[in-house]
């Protein structure tokens, strides 16, 4: 399936030049940045590439080029590279006037296997682009009559599950009554198909099409005789709904219709899908777009909401800013003009990383007591490590509840069980995840023995495995077999990476650092493994700092290192750091049991 893999835009509105490299495996691209810097112009440029009839000399040529008539080419040029994994097709469209667009196409085709390259003629470029259907949804100026007209005009080429419009075509042309009846029959199939998507946002919502009058002229049928409305037991006219609901309806319709066009790959361009929508509807819309375009097509959107942005891996995330030059006096127009242009920020750079993190603040407004599936952990470090690993592996971890000490787990279970005592048809599932050490195994046995006390909860018990997936069995814990293991949540973390976190703290306090690779090698040996990695790190730290190593502790019963454990978890920053992401990819191959464990936690929440 063809996907856009690169976009290059020159001399278009506020964009003098920019180049965007996309990950074709991710079907959603997010364009972010402050207001009025030209984010929407990126979407307009893509739309213009596929729909050149929209070109306007007055608005599409950069202001400084239009105003000053400065040297060089002033007309827009847009190149898009497509890839299907086997070939790369690059097509360039040059806009020179309001007419004669097609002859301005040029392209080339490259075979990724043998590296051969062939030029594409004008007709071949046109034929290739006919395989795409590009739709641009603006923040304002939405027209449902235009959308209905588009549906009707293109419906001859669309086949639905039970009704095929092609078979009715001749009959409908002969009689207006038959046309109206057949058209609405087809539109009913479309509305029945789309309504479940609306119910995902609100149980009371569904959609429908209706005829506004019994007698209309045939030529006016499309624009005047069909209206779209949302069935929610109120006034059905879409124009009487709020702006957010109108845009949501428009986006859902366009997304579904785009996928109905035969032999077309849909490209959906959405300007600020978060506009007028509260965060819960934004989340649902993001899931809808991700699922709808998973197998075919791509979505490009501008946004100010972190909901629509891959804030963790930063894949297909593009941050833009406005670069304003010094004022320059142009004699031709006898005035001073400041050159300003939309530029792409390099988020791989140190400065770019700071800018993207500032831009993508994440909010969390989930305030429910318990979800249908939950995890109780001993401390804050457990919660931080698990959620950060889940973000990296792109799995949805259930609600993680912190007990603030293993001895508090029983109290929490008792509290939650009493809370849900009177709940009807609600019995939350709770996984109790404790350290595989003496205290954790003791708590495990106590809860298992008294599990009937917490009858209003469905409880599972588990100990934290190490990075090799090793942990005590249920039978050995219940039978209280002799066990010297002292594994904690830190033993689940990739050993080299955990040591690098320790070195961050040691370096900050001017201590000698520990050997990350040496510790990673030692922790795989039975004699060190049973004591846990923090015990090993403590000894190695003291060896490296014999005079003052004892003044800072990562493990030990006398000096409770809870603050240090939390500090280590706090500085674990995977998302937004390309270097760490590359390291984690290697670690994942080396230690696959970490992914297996985190994925299992996620899967259990969906069963």
């Amino acid at each position: 399936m063809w996907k856009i893999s690169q976009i290059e835009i020159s001399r278009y509105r506020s964009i003098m030049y920019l180049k965007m490299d996309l990950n074709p495996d991710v079907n959603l691209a997010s364009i972010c940045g402050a207001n009025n810097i030209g984010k929407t112009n990126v979407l307009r440029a893509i739309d213009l590439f596929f729909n050149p009839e929209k070109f306007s000399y007055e608005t599409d040529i950069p202001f400084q080029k239009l105003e000053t008539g400065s040297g060089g080419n002033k007309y827009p040029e847009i190149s898009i590279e497509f890839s299907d994994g086997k070939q790369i097709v690059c097509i360039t469209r040059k806009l020179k006037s309001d007419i004669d667009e097609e002859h301005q196409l040029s392209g080339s085709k490259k075979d990724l296997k043998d590296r051969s390259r062939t030029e594409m003629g004008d007709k071949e470029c046109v034929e290739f682009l006919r395989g795409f259907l590009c739709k641009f949804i603006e923040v304002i100026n939405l027209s449902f009559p235009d959308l209905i007209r588009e549906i009707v005009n293109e419906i001859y080429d669309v086949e639905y599950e039970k009704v095929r419009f092609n078979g009715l075509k001749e009959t409908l042309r002969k009689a207006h009554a038959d046309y109206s009846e057949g058209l609405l029959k087809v539109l009913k199939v479309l509305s029945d198909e789309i309504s479940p998507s609306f119910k995902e946002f609100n149980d009371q919502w569904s959609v429908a099409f209706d005829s506004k009058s019994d007698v209309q002229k045939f030529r006016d049928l499309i624009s005047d005789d069909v209206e779209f409305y949302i069935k929610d037991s109120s006034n059905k006219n879409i124009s009487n709904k709020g702006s957010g609901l109108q845009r949501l309806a428009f986006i859902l319709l366009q997304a579904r219709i785009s996928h109905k066009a035969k032999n077309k790959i849909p490209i959906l361009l959405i300007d600020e899908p978060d506009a007028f929508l509260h965060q819960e509807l934004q989340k649902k819309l993001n899931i809808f777009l991700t699922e709808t375009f998973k197998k075919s097509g791509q979505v490009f959107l501008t946004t100010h909401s972190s909901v629509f942005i891959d804030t963790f891996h930063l894949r297909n995330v593009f941050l833009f800013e406005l670069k304003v030059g010094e004022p320059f006096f142009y004699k031709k127009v006898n005035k001073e003009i400041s050159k300003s242009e939309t530029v792409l920020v390099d988020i791989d750079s140190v400065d770019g990383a700071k800018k993207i993190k500032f831009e993508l603040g994440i909010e969390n407004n989930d305030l429910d007591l318990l979800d249908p599936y939950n995890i109780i952990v001993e401390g804050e470090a457990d919660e931080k490590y698990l959620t950060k690993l889940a973000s990296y592996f792109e799995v949805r971890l259930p609600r993680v509840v912190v007990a603030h000490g293993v001895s508090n787990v029983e109290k929490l279970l008792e509290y939650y069980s009493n809370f849900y005592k009177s709940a009807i048809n609600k019995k939350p599932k709770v996984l109790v995840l404790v350290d595989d050490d003496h205290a954790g195994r003791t708590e495990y046995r106590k809860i298992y023995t008294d599990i009937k006390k917490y009858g209003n909860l469905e409880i599972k018990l588990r100990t934290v495995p190490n990075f090799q997936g090793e942990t005590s069995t249920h039978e050995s814990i219940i039978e209280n077999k002799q066990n010297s293991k002292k594994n904690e949540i830190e033993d689940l973390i990739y050993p080299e990476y955990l040591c690098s976190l320790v070195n961050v703290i040691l370096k900050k306090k001017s201590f000698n650092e520990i050997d990350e690779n040496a510790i990673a090698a030692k922790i795989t040996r039975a004699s060190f493994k049973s004591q846990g990695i923090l015990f090993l790190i403590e000894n190695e730290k003291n060896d490296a700092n014999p005079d003052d190593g004892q003044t800072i502790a990562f493990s030990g019963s006398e000096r409770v290192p809870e603050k240090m454990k939390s500090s280590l978890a706090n500085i674990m920053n995977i998302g937004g750091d390309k270097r760490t992401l590359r390291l984690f990819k290697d670690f994942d191959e080396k230690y696959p049991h970490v992914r297996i464990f985190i994925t299992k936690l996620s899967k259990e929440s969906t069963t």
Side-chain angles (χ1 to χ4, degrees), residues 318-331:
F318 301 94
L319 176 64
F320 288 89
E321 61 184 6
L322 195 65
K323 181 181 177 182
V324 181
E326 293 294 325
F328 187 85
F329 185 80
Y330 285 89
K331 291 182 180 180

Side-chain angles (χ1 to χ4, degrees), residues 450-467:
D450 299 331
I451 204 162
K452 290 183 179 179
K453 282 172 48 178
Y454 320 112
N456 300 309
L457 306 172
E458 287 187 32
I459 297 175
K460 281 187 178 182
L461 294 157
R462 184 170 293 163
T463 52
V464 178
N466 65 13
F467 62 93

Side-chain angles (χ1 to χ4, degrees), residues 203-333:
D203 289 339
Q204 303 301 315
W205 292 352
S206 60
V207 299
F209 295 88
D210 200 2
S211 176
K212 294 192 294 184
S213 63
D214 294 328
V215 179
Q216 286 285 342
K217 293 180 181 179
F218 180 80
R219 66 174 183 268
D220 296 329
L221 173 67
I222 291 173
S223 58
D224 295 332
D225 199 38
V226 177
E227 65 175 334
F228 170 81
Y229 63 93
I230 293 176
K231 297 193 293 187
D232 61 352
S233 303
S234 66
N235 189 315
K236 69 182 184 180
N237 194 325
I238 189 69
S239 62
N240 290 332
K241 306 300 180 187
S243 298
L245 184 53
Q246 287 190 47
R247 289 201 83 235
L248 178 61
F250 200 89
I251 291 170
L252 295 179
L253 270 172
Q254 281 283 28
R256 287 298 190 199
I257 293 167
S258 295
H259 272 82
K260 286 297 177 184
K262 281 188 176 181
N263 303 317
K264 299 275 188 180
I265 298 172
I267 304 291
L268 196 60
L269 313 171
I270 312 175
D271 196 12
E272 297 188 20
D274 45 294
F276 316 118
L277 287 183
H278 65 74
Q279 196 175 59
E280 194 57 38
L281 283 180
Q282 290 179 32
K283 290 178 182 178
K284 291 180 178 180
L285 178 57
N286 184 48
I287 293 171
F288 169 82
L289 291 173
T290 302
E291 292 298 317
T292 302
F293 287 81
K294 181 179 287 185
K295 293 182 180 180
S296 174
Q298 288 168 286
V299 179
F300 294 82
L301 51 85
T302 64
T303 182
H304 294 285
S305 172
S306 60
V307 171
F308 293 97
I309 299 170
D310 179 4
T311 57
F312 199 86
H313 291 86
L314 300 180
R315 290 172 306 189
N316 288 352
V317 175
F318 301 94
L319 176 64
F320 288 89
E321 61 184 6
L322 195 65
K323 181 181 177 182
V324 181
E326 293 294 325
F328 187 85
F329 185 80
Y330 285 89
K331 291 182 180 180
K332 285 184 178 181
V333 293

